[in-house]
Amino acid sequence: VFVQEQQSDSASFYLDRVLRLKPDDPGYLQQQPRLKLAELYRSQGKARQALRYYLQEAEANPPDLWLIGDIAVLCEEVGEVSQALQWRQRLLAVQGGGTVDQRATLVSMVELQVKAGDTKAALATLTQLAQIDTLNRYGYYSRYVQVAEKGGDQAARLKGL
């Protein structure tokens, strides 16, 4: 009712309360309240609260591609780089080989690996990208050189040239 009336703050308040009082009630769980609450919080710009309920949903039910991707994005938004990387790796495992989505996931993983200071992993991911996306190989090797320079790996930098 609150969502239909565009009162998302009230909707999230009461839905949160219901989930706290009856977290395992099958009558409520059929309606996917955790997902609805996560989406409400996300629409309000409350990434941490949204993430909490997305994670609860992923723990309670096998997550699909959409949920895994959203969790990865929110982890990154709240600064949880290692957790975002884990969810990106999980997403990669369920995506088909060589798909556009898989390439986007790998590109995101490179940036997360760079943020985490894992130059070796970032370079390995860039190599993987260059192998599966040959049309953009030059761009990946250009990024390879940048990452190697930033990580102080001169041997890798030369390899990328």
Side-chain angles (χ1 to χ4, degrees):
V1 173
F2 290 113
V3 174
Q4 291 172 345
E5 297 294 323
Q6 298 182 342
Q7 297 176 359
S8 62
D9 286 339
S10 296
S12 58
F13 173 79
Y14 285 107
L15 192 52
D16 187 47
R17 192 167 180 200
V18 166
L19 280 170
R20 288 175 197 261
L21 294 173
K22 297 183 178 189
D24 299 319
D25 187 312
Y28 291 116
L29 294 179
Q30 282 182 327
Q31 306 296 320
Q32 296 183 307
R34 288 183 290 259
L35 284 179
K36 288 179 182 174
L37 187 55
E39 290 166 9
L40 282 169
Y41 279 135
R42 194 169 188 189
S43 71
Q44 295 168 5
K46 298 176 180 176
R48 284 207 183 274
Q49 290 94 328
L51 180 58
R52 182 174 76 223
Y53 286 102
Y54 278 136
L55 289 171
Q56 286 179 14
E57 181 64 25
E59 191 176 297
N61 299 301
D64 59 13
L65 281 171
W66 172 83
L67 182 58
I68 294 169
D70 279 354
I71 291 171
V73 167
L74 284 170
C75 285
E76 191 171 356
E77 282 180 22
V78 301
E80 298 289 340
V81 175
S82 63
Q83 197 174 11
L85 189 54
Q86 289 172 3
W87 282 98
R88 288 278 179 206
Q89 289 167 336
R90 193 168 173 181
L91 182 60
L92 187 63
V94 295
Q95 290 174 326
T99 66
V100 172
D101 290 339
Q102 187 183 38
R103 289 189 300 268
T105 299
L106 287 167
V107 168
S108 295
M109 286 175 60
V110 168
E111 298 314 314
L112 289 166
Q113 290 161 336
V114 168
K115 282 182 185 177
D118 192 350
T119 301
K120 186 176 179 178
L123 295 175
T125 304
L126 283 162
T127 300
Q128 185 180 359
L129 272 163
Q131 291 170 349
I132 65 170
D133 185 11
T134 56
L135 292 175
N136 293 307
R137 183 176 289 181
Y138 177 78
Y140 298 129
Y141 280 116
S142 176
R143 182 71 176 124
Y144 188 100
V145 170
Q146 293 171 347
V147 170
E149 280 180 355
K150 185 176 179 182
D153 188 339
Q154 292 305 315
R157 181 184 165 276
L158 291 174
K159 181 182 171 186
L161 293 175

